[in-house]
Amino acid sequence: MTSLYKLVGGVSLLALLGGCASLSGDGGFGAVASVSEQRTGAPASVAGRLPRNEDDARALAAVIGKKLEQPLSADDAVQVALLNNRGLQATYWSLGVAEADLVQAGRVQNPVLDFKRSHGGGEVGIERTLTFNLVGLITAPMASRIEGRRFEQTKLLVSNEALKVAADTRRAWVDAVAAAQIADYAKQVEASAQASAELSERMRKAGNWSALDMAREQAYHAQTVADVTHTQKAAVAAREKLTRLLGLSGEQAAYRLPDHLPDLPAAPRELANVEQAAVDERLDIQAAKLDTEQTASTLGLTRTTRFINVLDLGAVRNTDGPTATRGYELTLEIPLFDWGSARVARAEATYMQSVNQLAQAAVQARSEARASYADYRASYDLARHYRDRVLPLRKQISEQTLLRYNGMLMSVFELLADAREQATAVSGYIGALRDYWIAQANLEAAQGGRLSTNKGVQP
Amino acid sequence: MTDRRSFLSGAALIGAGMVTKAAVASLPEAPVQSSPATQAPLSPPNGRPYNPVVTLNGWTLPWRMKDGVKEFHLVAEPVVREIAPGMTANLWGYNGQSPGPTIEVVEGDRVRIFVTNKLPEHTSVHWHGQRLPNGMDGVTGLTQPGIPPGKTFVYEFVAKHAGTFMYHPHADEMAQMAMGMMGFWVTHPRDPKQHAVDRDFVFLLNAYDIDPGSYTPKINTMTDFNLWTFNSRAFPGIDPMVVRKDDRVRIRVGNLTMTNHPVHLHGHTFEVTGTDGGWVRPAARWPEVTTDIAVGQMRAIEFIADEPGDWSFHCHKSHHTMNAMGHSVPTMIGVDHSGVAEKINNLVPGYMVMGDKGAAMDGMQMPLPENTLPMMTGDGPFGGLDMGGMFTVVKVREGLARNDYKDPGWYKHPPGSVAHEWTGELPPAPRAPGAPPAKASEAMDVKRDGDMHHHH
């Protein structure tokens, strides 16, 4: 008896402790929001919590509306996406699910009270059984730890998702601005070709040019009109991709973007040890680590309980007629046919799977870090080459062409052809600049968030 | 750009390193001329007397007499020639100039010419038109080995026949002549009174293809040259030929370009009195105002300068009185630019409509590429001349001194002798019977308005 009461006493203590793991109220969002803000530079919510009601929705709309009053900068685009991307919002809520699991795991299964009343032959039999899941009591702390890790992992994965959305948004913003800029240049080229085509028509009218000469100039113009349509298509597609990431629709979808990409920074980032930083900082790596730790714990648990499937402890008080008998009841499954070895093997396999997945994630992260940094530096060099060599030379050519036009050494058509070539060089520069900013976003993503040394050079 | 120093240094080093001091000491002096201006005629200080010629924008090579032989020293070398103010060319020439100095000798003179090669490749001198021993003809490979860089060769012959000649390399001829290697040669008659004239001008016709903004001729150009020159000078860089009224004037012209040049004199008639072959008999002379000088030919023309004034003298191929121009530029005359010009200007700031009324550029002051002459240029007393290239002016004046070649300025026309605007009644234009009346505006459409450029 005494031992039973001790046991029951222990159980109540455990039950009490288990009850301590309670719901936080924000479903762990606060922690995620702070990681995400630290890594992206943009808060993940308006009021520090996820919007739940009309008031929250209005506050969110007000914040976004204010951002959209100006041409949307890359940082603002990231901010809007973190606040407003519905896929990301859905992911935030998965935190709540994970937290609920955690709390649930920390709670001991409710005791079961069996009450049986029987009567027959004038006798009333009352049978009361109070049963606890004893194994639940024994394993509760362990399960709680596991769920705790799972929750931590979920937080990391959700934060990582936020970083992904931020990086995608930054890339989409760069693409959209560049595409619009390229479309603009295509229009300029078309305008020069149109001037040329018009002039060629007048040359023909004045009797100075053959139908062949005129057709050549006009064919070029026709081609540039097609090019304008191509670039406009691309610009619309790029902008819509951004719009989706921003979660905007209706009037808000008419947001404005800057006319051109930000200038190339004076110098590229010098990053030492990009691989180490990636392994240390990337949230997906951290999540994979937690996963491995978790499976290790699970393995330990499985080993501990391999013989015990169900261990039920019951306090029994039987009232059978006038006499009441007290006692307890223990049910133990005898591992006659299942020694639990399959479960342990499964847990071990799962553990090894997790270990290798972590190793793979680390290899991938290191490679991505190297590749993205190399790409970043090469993209910088290329954009700088365009800015410092290609464009100045083009400008020089244009100036010299104009001088030759002045001296009647070249015709106005050559002047226009040169203007078109210059626009092509400018498009090349926009493309190179776009690639640079995208390479930087990729580098950040591969490094697990905003580069600490990158302040002030964000697009 | 290449400056004079760096352009010259490479070849000069080759020469300096290879000519031995002993060789130099025994050679006659090789005078150098750096000015592109016409130098005064060189009266012969010794030897047989003759009436010296005036080399347009050039000079005559002094000589030394040694044991009765006239010794000249030509140095073939890279030079920088001013084609006209505002433009210089990296050429090859002799004794500091391209063309080289004029060599003047007298019929019967024994002539010894030292030729030092300071070019980076071998050369030779062919004495074009001379009757001389075969081994002195200066044809590399055929009559002599080429003169290697840094070496000096000597030519010696008797100037047998009076006449008008030239000299030029016969070694890598295409490149060396395209680079300006040539010079004039006059063998005067033994009797100075024979064929005597008051003023005797000489020059060569030459052509270069120098891209605007560059300095060295494109030697592979065959016909599409952009600089047509008298003695490697283009108008307005060519000096006027100043003559005294009633002077008998001779102009001797040699053609070392790749095409013929019909040279044309205004206000006078002349006769062709000499060719490479010698003097034309008086009975065979035709009166001319234009004579065609074929490639490789020499012509001497003579006229009495009896009409005072400033008279044009030029090649009659009108592209040859132009400087660098775009030969593939389409004609813009009559093309309406309204609307289009603004569009073009948006793309090309600084663009101005040109050529829609013609090609005249008078009064236009627009920036050009470096080292380029305006396509047509030159100012006269009445405005722009719209001329370039092979053009100059024969200035006939009364009362000049015999040896006065100074530019007397523009001619002062006697009152009432200059074409002027008619301000009186216009007689009605004769019309065919029944023809519809002419539209007054038609004539206006093609009339130039004097201001050829439009700022849009």
Side-chain angles (χ1 to χ4, degrees), chain B residues 323-336:
Chain B
N323 291 323
M325 62 191 279
H327 296 157
S328 57
V329 171
T331 306
M332 304 304 285
I333 292 174
V335 179
D336 175 18

PDB file of all heavy atoms in Angstrom, chain B residues 323-336:
ATOM      1  N   ASN B 323      38.457  68.530 -98.644  1.00  0.00           N
ATOM      2  CA  ASN B 323      39.278  67.785 -97.696  1.00  0.00           C
ATOM      3  C   ASN B 323      38.491  66.560 -97.241  1.00  0.00           C
ATOM      4  O   ASN B 323      37.513  66.182 -97.890  1.00  0.00           O
ATOM      5  CB  ASN B 323      39.694  68.687 -96.541  1.00  0.00           C
ATOM      6  CG  ASN B 323      40.670  69.739 -97.021  1.00  0.00           C
ATOM      7  OD1 ASN B 323      41.522  69.464 -97.873  1.00  0.00           O
ATOM      8  ND2 ASN B 323      40.553  70.939 -96.496  1.00  0.00           N
ATOM      9  N   ALA B 324      38.957  65.967 -96.133  1.00  0.00           N
ATOM     10  CA  ALA B 324      38.343  64.710 -95.677  1.00  0.00           C
ATOM     11  C   ALA B 324      36.819  64.806 -95.663  1.00  0.00           C
ATOM     12  O   ALA B 324      36.256  65.751 -95.131  1.00  0.00           O
ATOM     13  CB  ALA B 324      38.848  64.379 -94.281  1.00  0.00           C
ATOM     14  N   MET B 325      36.187  63.838 -96.303  1.00  0.00           N
ATOM     15  CA  MET B 325      34.724  63.805 -96.323  1.00  0.00           C
ATOM     16  C   MET B 325      34.269  62.355 -96.316  1.00  0.00           C
ATOM     17  O   MET B 325      35.031  61.453 -96.650  1.00  0.00           O
ATOM     18  CB  MET B 325      34.187  64.525 -97.562  1.00  0.00           C
ATOM     19  CG  MET B 325      34.629  63.887 -98.871  1.00  0.00           C
ATOM     20  SD  MET B 325      34.266  64.902-100.319  1.00  0.00           S
ATOM     21  CE  MET B 325      32.544  64.528-100.577  1.00  0.00           C
ATOM     22  N   GLY B 326      33.018  62.147 -95.893  1.00  0.00           N
ATOM     23  CA  GLY B 326      32.474  60.798 -95.890  1.00  0.00           C
ATOM     24  C   GLY B 326      31.924  60.485 -97.261  1.00  0.00           C
ATOM     25  O   GLY B 326      30.892  61.014 -97.667  1.00  0.00           O
ATOM     26  N   HIS B 327      32.618  59.647 -97.988  1.00  0.00           N
ATOM     27  CA  HIS B 327      32.189  59.386 -99.359  1.00  0.00           C
ATOM     28  C   HIS B 327      30.931  58.540 -99.442  1.00  0.00           C
ATOM     29  O   HIS B 327      30.327  58.407-100.488  1.00  0.00           O
ATOM     30  CB  HIS B 327      33.333  58.710-100.137  1.00  0.00           C
ATOM     31  CG  HIS B 327      34.527  59.604-100.282  1.00  0.00           C
ATOM     32  ND1 HIS B 327      35.786  59.155-100.496  1.00  0.00           N
ATOM     33  CD2 HIS B 327      34.630  60.957-100.209  1.00  0.00           C
ATOM     34  CE1 HIS B 327      36.636  60.173-100.568  1.00  0.00           C
ATOM     35  NE2 HIS B 327      35.953  61.272-100.386  1.00  0.00           N
ATOM     36  N   SER B 328      30.529  57.941 -98.304  1.00  0.00           N
ATOM     37  CA  SER B 328      29.307  57.129 -98.342  1.00  0.00           C
ATOM     38  C   SER B 328      28.144  57.828 -97.646  1.00  0.00           C
ATOM     39  O   SER B 328      27.125  57.215 -97.377  1.00  0.00           O
ATOM     40  CB  SER B 328      29.577  55.772 -97.697  1.00  0.00           C
ATOM     41  OG  SER B 328      30.031  55.965 -96.381  1.00  0.00           O
ATOM     42  N   VAL B 329      28.338  59.103 -97.317  1.00  0.00           N
ATOM     43  CA  VAL B 329      27.242  59.840 -96.681  1.00  0.00           C
ATOM     44  C   VAL B 329      26.141  60.072 -97.709  1.00  0.00           C
ATOM     45  O   VAL B 329      26.415  60.567 -98.800  1.00  0.00           O
ATOM     46  CB  VAL B 329      27.764  61.186 -96.112  1.00  0.00           C
ATOM     47  CG1 VAL B 329      26.604  62.055 -95.652  1.00  0.00           C
ATOM     48  CG2 VAL B 329      28.749  60.933 -94.987  1.00  0.00           C
ATOM     49  N   PRO B 330      24.912  59.677 -97.384  1.00  0.00           N
ATOM     50  CA  PRO B 330      23.846  59.831 -98.384  1.00  0.00           C
ATOM     51  C   PRO B 330      23.484  61.306 -98.589  1.00  0.00           C
ATOM     52  O   PRO B 330      23.723  62.139 -97.724  1.00  0.00           O
ATOM     53  CB  PRO B 330      22.672  59.067 -97.765  1.00  0.00           C
ATOM     54  CG  PRO B 330      22.942  59.063 -96.300  1.00  0.00           C
ATOM     55  CD  PRO B 330      24.435  59.080 -96.138  1.00  0.00           C
ATOM     56  N   THR B 331      22.947  61.579 -99.755  1.00  0.00           N
ATOM     57  CA  THR B 331      22.511  62.939-100.054  1.00  0.00           C
ATOM     58  C   THR B 331      21.267  63.275 -99.238  1.00  0.00           C
ATOM     59  O   THR B 331      20.315  62.497 -99.196  1.00  0.00           O
ATOM     60  CB  THR B 331      22.160  63.040-101.549  1.00  0.00           C
ATOM     61  OG1 THR B 331      23.287  62.589-102.281  1.00  0.00           O
ATOM     62  CG2 THR B 331      21.806  64.457-101.939  1.00  0.00           C
ATOM     63  N   MET B 332      21.302  64.403 -98.584  1.00  0.00           N
ATOM     64  CA  MET B 332      20.171  64.789 -97.747  1.00  0.00           C
ATOM     65  C   MET B 332      19.371  65.935 -98.376  1.00  0.00           C
ATOM     66  O   MET B 332      18.386  66.383 -97.809  1.00  0.00           O
ATOM     67  CB  MET B 332      20.671  65.223 -96.364  1.00  0.00           C
ATOM     68  CG  MET B 332      21.521  64.187 -95.638  1.00  0.00           C
ATOM     69  SD  MET B 332      20.714  62.590 -95.444  1.00  0.00           S
ATOM     70  CE  MET B 332      19.567  62.963 -94.138  1.00  0.00           C
ATOM     71  N   ILE B 333      19.828  66.394 -99.540  1.00  0.00           N
ATOM     72  CA  ILE B 333      19.176  67.559-100.146  1.00  0.00           C
ATOM     73  C   ILE B 333      17.690  67.285-100.359  1.00  0.00           C
ATOM     74  O   ILE B 333      17.317  66.239-100.879  1.00  0.00           O
ATOM     75  CB  ILE B 333      19.845  67.918-101.499  1.00  0.00           C
ATOM     76  CG1 ILE B 333      21.263  68.426-101.259  1.00  0.00           C
ATOM     77  CG2 ILE B 333      19.024  68.947-102.262  1.00  0.00           C
ATOM     78  CD1 ILE B 333      22.052  68.660-102.529  1.00  0.00           C
ATOM     79  N   GLY B 334      16.883  68.249 -99.929  1.00  0.00           N
ATOM     80  CA  GLY B 334      15.442  68.161-100.158  1.00  0.00           C
ATOM     81  C   GLY B 334      14.715  67.263 -99.184  1.00  0.00           C
ATOM     82  O   GLY B 334      13.513  67.041 -99.318  1.00  0.00           O
ATOM     83  N   VAL B 335      15.422  66.726 -98.173  1.00  0.00           N
ATOM     84  CA  VAL B 335      14.760  65.831 -97.220  1.00  0.00           C
ATOM     85  C   VAL B 335      14.237  66.638 -96.042  1.00  0.00           C
ATOM     86  O   VAL B 335      14.985  67.345 -95.371  1.00  0.00           O
ATOM     87  CB  VAL B 335      15.732  64.740 -96.721  1.00  0.00           C
ATOM     88  CG1 VAL B 335      15.044  63.845 -95.710  1.00  0.00           C
ATOM     89  CG2 VAL B 335      16.244  63.925 -97.898  1.00  0.00           C
ATOM     90  N   ASP B 336      12.926  66.539 -95.851  1.00  0.00           N
ATOM     91  CA  ASP B 336      12.272  67.284 -94.777  1.00  0.00           C
ATOM     92  C   ASP B 336      12.655  66.654 -93.433  1.00  0.00           C
ATOM     93  O   ASP B 336      12.453  65.463 -93.220  1.00  0.00           O
ATOM     94  CB  ASP B 336      10.756  67.205 -95.006  1.00  0.00           C
ATOM     95  CG  ASP B 336       9.990  67.842 -93.862  1.00  0.00           C
ATOM     96  OD1 ASP B 336      10.606  68.612 -93.100  1.00  0.00           O
ATOM     97  OD2 ASP B 336       8.779  67.552 -93.748  1.00  0.00           O
TER      98      ASP B 336
END
